[in-house]
Amino acid sequence: MSVIEVNSLTKDYGSGRGVFDVTFQVEKGEVFGFLGPNGAGKSTTIRHLMGFSKPQSGQTKIFGKDTFDKYFEILGNVGYIPGEIALPAGLTGWEFIRMMQHLQKCRNDEQLNYLLKIFELDPSGETKRMSLGVKRKLAVVTAFMSDPDVLILDEPTSGLDPVMQEVFIEFIRKEKERGKTILLSSHIFSEVDATCDRIAIIKDGKIVSDFIADDLKHASQKNYEIGFTDRENYDRFMKDSRNSAIVKIIGNDAKNKTVMIATDDKYINQVIAGLSEYSIGNFSHLKETLEDYFMSYYKEDKNFGGALQ
Ligand SMILES: Nc1ncnc2c1ncn2[C@@H]1O[C@H](COP(=O)(O)OP(=O)(O)OP(=O)(O)O)[C@@H](O)[C@H]1O
Ligand SMILES: [Mg+2]
């Protein structure tokens, strides 16, 4: 049984907004990255997973329990950082921490002091006067202070400075080593790259890609750039490759006489043999990073998703 399950979750807000048939699972000890452009449906999915909204259809489960029906049974073992921090007015940071400990039915001062130290948080001030970053730190500390087994984090580092983002990444790595199950939504590629085992990309309310992070690094389909010495060779290659079964043209620049191609490793000998028919000035491997792959989903007119498509 997976620790986190989202099964065919649908919530239609009308006009194409919402989430549609979203399905994914997160296994015990896994860090799952949930990526997608603004308005893609990350927070909507996460709010359902936290049991705050009832799905129109489909189901969300944690530890095999329906999160909407069994909200109070799972709450104690799930840490949550909301995408937008709204702290109750008229409280100091300490009062907020005590209130949350009461709700979580757990007071673990050792863990709390450890978190206050590593995130350099002084919770003595009033919450309404706290800067965005300090509010975020308070949300991070309260999410982790009961040492829950499952963490649902909606853009947890937004508002944190780069040093604190690093501290956070290091902390997540240690939590993973301790066997925690973590769902992390993010726009920050380096953070996802450094922490996540598996990644799903959501766009317009639908999961468009779900893959193992290492697979992207070891994908057998690769991109290359070929620079031709003159226009005649460039034009001939473009024409010859148009319907090729082994090479896909993914970009071209007539002015610079360069063509970007994608091919699978198993065809590379054929591709290189074929290129000997042309006069070539340079040939290079274009490294596909997670960032490139993700960016291809940000662009509206996406027609090539890269190595894993
Ligand atoms: N309660 C609601 N009523 C109507 N529409 C909503 C509601 N909540 C979210 N939406 C719409 O659903 C879509 C998904 O929003 P959501 O907040 O889940 O996106 P997101 O992926 O978290 O984006 P961001 O990266 O900006 O945080 C958006 O078009 C949003 O306007
Ligand atoms: Mg959001």
Side-chain angles (χ1 to χ4, degrees):
M1 184 185 69
S2 306
V3 175
I4 296 174
E5 289 173 67
V6 176
N7 298 319
S8 304
L9 175 68
T10 296
K11 181 70 146 240
D12 189 346
Y13 290 122
S15 314
R17 294 179 312 161
V19 291
F20 307 93
D21 202 23
V22 168
T23 297
F24 62 82
Q25 294 84 30
V26 189
E27 308 304 326
K28 184 178 178 334
E30 208 175 34
V31 184
F32 185 82
F34 198 36
L35 306 184
N38 292 131
K42 301 178 296 296
S43 298
T44 302
T45 304
I46 287 173
R47 280 199 305 273
H48 282 83
L49 194 51
M50 285 304 297
F52 302 151
S53 297
K54 192 173 167 59
Q56 211 162 356
S57 63
Q59 210 178 23
T60 52
K61 292 185 190 174
I62 295 180
F63 300 124
K65 292 180 179 172
D66 184 290
T67 59
F68 190 78
D69 295 339
K70 303 271 177 358
Y71 176 73
F72 290 102
E73 287 179 35
I74 50 175
L75 182 69
N77 209 1
V78 179
Y80 170 58
I81 301 182
E84 284 163 35
I85 312 282
L87 299 168
L91 293 182
T92 65
W94 275 119
E95 284 166 342
F96 180 68
I97 286 172
R98 297 299 175 219
M99 186 184 94
M100 292 306 288
Q101 282 176 328
H102 181 72
L103 286 173
Q104 292 166 354
K105 297 189 180 65
C106 174
R107 182 164 171 169
N108 179 341
D109 282 340
E110 196 187 330
Q111 171 80 349
L112 173 62
N113 289 333
Y114 167 67
L115 291 165
L116 292 176
K117 186 160 166 268
I118 64 164
F119 288 108
E120 298 173 14
L121 175 66
D122 172 7
S124 54
E126 268 185 67
T127 54
K128 73 170 180 192
R129 289 189 208 285
M130 286 175 175
S131 71
L132 183 65
V134 175
K135 281 183 187 156
R136 180 66 62 176
K137 285 183 186 186
L138 187 58
V140 170
V141 168
T142 49
F144 288 97
M145 68 187 176
S146 67
D147 204 14
D149 290 327
V150 176
L151 291 145
I152 313 278
L153 313 174
D154 195 356
E155 294 191 44
T157 60
S158 74
L160 293 184
D161 67 35
V163 174
M164 277 302 137
Q165 287 184 1
E166 278 301 312
V167 170
F168 186 84
I169 288 171
E170 209 34 57
F171 177 72
I172 291 293
R173 282 188 168 148
K174 284 192 184 135
E175 289 293 280
K176 180 181 150 58
E177 276 169 27
R178 294 177 65 218
K180 302 295 178 76
T181 305
I182 303 174
L183 182 142
L184 178 136
S185 93
S186 178
H187 287 291
I188 303 169
F189 312 106
S190 54
E191 172 176 294
V192 172
D193 206 19
T195 55
C196 295
D197 304 303
R198 216 146 49 79
I199 294 166
I201 295 179
I202 185 165
K203 191 175 182 191
D204 299 330
K206 298 185 183 106
I207 302 278
V208 289
S209 184
D210 181 344
F211 57 94
I212 294 163
D214 275 352
D215 281 359
L216 188 64
K217 289 165 192 157
H218 306 126
S220 64
Q221 184 158 354
K222 298 201 178 77
N223 302 341
Y224 300 90
E225 186 177 86
I226 311 160
F228 294 90
T229 51
D230 55 69
R231 189 60 194 260
E232 188 275 318
N233 276 277
Y234 166 88
D235 286 339
R236 189 155 52 85
F237 179 83
M238 286 293 287
K239 190 160 157 279
D240 295 347
S241 309
R242 197 152 292 147
N243 298 314
S244 166
I246 60 168
V247 162
K248 179 171 175 162
I249 294 174
I250 55 168
N252 59 297
D253 179 349
K255 197 159 154 269
N256 291 313
K257 304 175 291 281
T258 55
V259 180
M260 266 80 77
I261 60 161
T263 189
D264 195 280
D265 285 351
K266 64 177 182 266
Y267 298 130
I268 194 65
N269 278 316
Q270 268 174 275
V271 171
I272 289 172
L275 287 174
S276 66
E277 305 288 320
Y278 307 89
S279 174
I280 288 171
N282 57 72
F283 179 80
S284 56
H285 173 210
L286 296 172
K287 273 193 148 178
E288 165 104 332
T289 63
L290 175 63
E291 186 162 351
D292 298 329
Y293 186 61
F294 187 39
M295 282 307 282
S296 71
Y297 280 99
Y298 266 51
K299 293 178 186 142
E300 273 307 307
D301 59 346
K302 172 192 183 304
N303 52 24
F304 184 77
L308 287 165
Q309 207 189 29

